[in-house]
Every structure is written in C-alpha cells, then in structure tokens.
C-alpha cells in the first residue's frame, strides 16, 4: 500500500531533487493530494455506497446532504428500498426528467427516476409520497494524506499516475512549462494504461443470449 513518504520519494526522483533542495515535503504533500484527487476525478476509481433517507414531499437534495457530504463527487446509481425490494431508479438527463416527471406539480409517489441538476443537486421523480431509505452508489474524493499513518484509500494500479501529476504541478509552479507538459503527458498516459489494465469483459449472465 502506498504511503505519503513513498509518494514523496517517488516525486523527488522524478524531479531530481532527492535531497530536498528545491521542494519541501509540505509543498510536495499538497501536490500529491491534488494528484490523488485528479486520479479519482479522471477514473472514478473510489466508489462508496452511501445510505440516505429521502423524505415525504422533498424533491431535491444536495450532495452535501449525503453522509460523505462535500467529499461526494458524483452519483452513479440510486436504489430505493420499498418493502422487501431494492428498486433501481432510472437516470434521466435533466431536460428529459423535467419534461416527463415534473409536469404534475402535486403528484407524489414512489420515485422511479432521478436526475442531476447543475453540479451537485439530485432530483427525484415523482416526488416521494413517504420517507424512503435509499442506497447511493457514489464516487467520493480521497482523504488527504497527512502522514504515513494516514491510510491510503487508492489501491494499485490507481496509485501509479499520482507522482507524475504531482511532478507536473511542481514544474508548473517553477514556470518550467516544457518539463511540466512532459509530466502531464506521462500522467495521462499512465491513467490510460491503468484504465486499460483494470478493464475486464464480464459476462452479465451465463444463461443469457450472446451479445
């Protein structure tokens, strides 16, 4: 498992600053944490199920309402618990959602779909007619590494692009734009490699017709 000191050592080697003559540990720590967030944004690798209850008559909720609050980057799927059933909601783009499920202002019922409005607001349609426990499949931002005792939430191979993005930010800060661009290209190449290596074609069910 990657550690903060391991990341710092890797970044220093890329920057040819093994003795710390040009970059402090605190500066590199900031770049490393920014790089870890960028990896999650680009890959969606850090997913978490968040349990949350939607309430009667309330149509919309901000990401901040969820247990992970401001760490929530995206909502991928939502299941609503209804009796003994776990019902997946359809996702609709806002324009379709607005046209299909918001026409009747006073109609409440079991939600069948959701949409994301703007950057961080979730809408349910129809508006819930009672309180429903829900299961949110989300992408969340990683915790900031403060020391080696902080547990790294990213796992191999998603840790491999981190050092290149941190080095890109370090070189950009010193206005070495040519070198910074090389590190950024290396970062993007490593992200593509990671996504290609973790991709596995899965058969939805062995009993279905071939697709």
């Amino acid at each position: 498992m990657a550690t903060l000191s391991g990341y710092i050592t890797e970044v220093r080697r890329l920057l040819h600053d093994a003795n710390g003559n040009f970059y402090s540990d605190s500066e590199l720590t900031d770049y490393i944490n920014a790089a870890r967030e960028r990896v999650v944004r680009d890959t969606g690798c850090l997913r978490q199920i968040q349990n949350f209850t939607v309430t009667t008559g309330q149509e919309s909720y901000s990401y901040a309402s969820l247990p992970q609050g401001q760490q929530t980057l995206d909502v991928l799927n939502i299941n609503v618990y209804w009796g003994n059933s776990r019902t997946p909601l359809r996702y609709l783009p806002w324009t379709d959602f607005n046209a299909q499920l918001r026409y009747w202002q006073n109609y409440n019922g079991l939600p069948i779909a959701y949409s994301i409005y703007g950057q961080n607001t979730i809408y349910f349609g129809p508006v819930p007619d009672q309180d429903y426990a829900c299961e949110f499949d989300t992408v969340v931002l990683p915790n900031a590494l403060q020391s080696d005792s902080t547990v790294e939430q990213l796992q191999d191979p998603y840790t491999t692009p981190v050092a290149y993005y941190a080095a890109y930010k370090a070189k950009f800060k010193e206005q070495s734009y040519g070198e910074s661009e090389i590190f950024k290209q290396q970062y993007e190449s490593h992200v593509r490699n990671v996504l290609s290596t973790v991709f596995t074609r899965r058969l939805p069910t062995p009993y279905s017709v071939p697709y």
Side-chain angles (χ1 to χ4, degrees):
M1 181 177 294
T3 61
L4 178 58
S5 62
Y7 279 132
I8 291 175
T9 299
E10 186 177 3
V11 175
R12 288 199 183 283
R13 287 171 177 167
L14 292 175
L15 296 172
H16 301 286
D17 186 31
N19 296 322
N21 296 322
F22 303 105
Y23 303 96
S24 66
D25 285 353
S26 61
E27 183 179 9
L28 293 184
T29 297
D30 289 341
Y31 297 151
I32 287 164
N33 283 321
R36 294 168 62 247
E37 287 195 8
R38 180 60 185 261
V39 169
V40 173
R41 292 179 189 278
D42 288 342
T43 66
C45 63
L46 193 56
R47 292 173 68 169
Q48 185 171 338
I49 297 294
Q50 301 188 48
N51 295 305
F52 182 73
T53 299
V54 296
T55 56
T56 308
Q58 185 170 343
E59 182 183 25
S60 64
Y61 300 83
S62 68
Y63 286 8
S65 303
L66 299 175
Q68 290 299 314
Q70 297 298 328
Q71 292 299 105
T72 301
L73 180 63
D74 197 8
V75 175
L76 305 179
N77 302 287
I78 300 176
N79 293 329
V80 171
Y81 289 95
W82 186 45
N84 293 322
S85 301
R86 185 186 286 117
T87 306
L89 301 187
R90 295 170 57 203
Y91 168 77
L92 291 175
W94 173 256
T95 302
D96 291 339
F97 180 87
N98 185 57
Q100 296 179 33
L101 292 172
R102 304 185 76 233
Y103 182 79
W104 297 106
Q105 296 185 48
N106 297 322
Y107 176 71
N108 293 1
L110 172 69
I112 62 171
Y114 76 99
S115 186
I116 306 298
Y117 183 78
Q119 297 182 48
N120 60 359
T121 304
I122 312 159
Y123 275 77
F124 288 83
V127 176
D129 60 343
Q130 64 183 59
D131 293 358
Y132 291 100
C134 297
E135 184 179 77
F136 289 69
D137 175 14
T138 62
V139 177
V140 297
L141 295 174
N143 59 332
L145 296 180
Q146 304 291 342
S147 67
D148 282 352
S149 62
T150 308
V151 176
E152 171 58 291
Q153 294 175 297
L154 305 187
Q155 298 180 5
D156 184 67
Y158 295 102
T159 55
T160 56
V162 170
Y164 293 93
Y165 193 84
Y168 150 73
K169 290 187 71 70
K171 285 296 181 180
F172 194 90
K173 174 255 186 183
E174 71 175 34
Q175 298 182 325
S176 298
Y177 299 123
E179 291 180 83
S180 70
E181 185 61 26
I182 291 172
F183 281 125
K184 187 175 182 182
Q185 291 173 1
Q186 286 295 310
Y187 164 78
E188 292 170 349
S189 176
H190 277 73
V191 166
R192 288 193 296 269
N193 288 339
V194 166
L195 292 175
S196 65
T197 56
V198 299
F199 175 79
T200 303
R201 188 172 298 281
R202 294 175 175 85
L203 187 66
T205 167
Y207 307 106
S208 66
V209 293
Y211 60 91

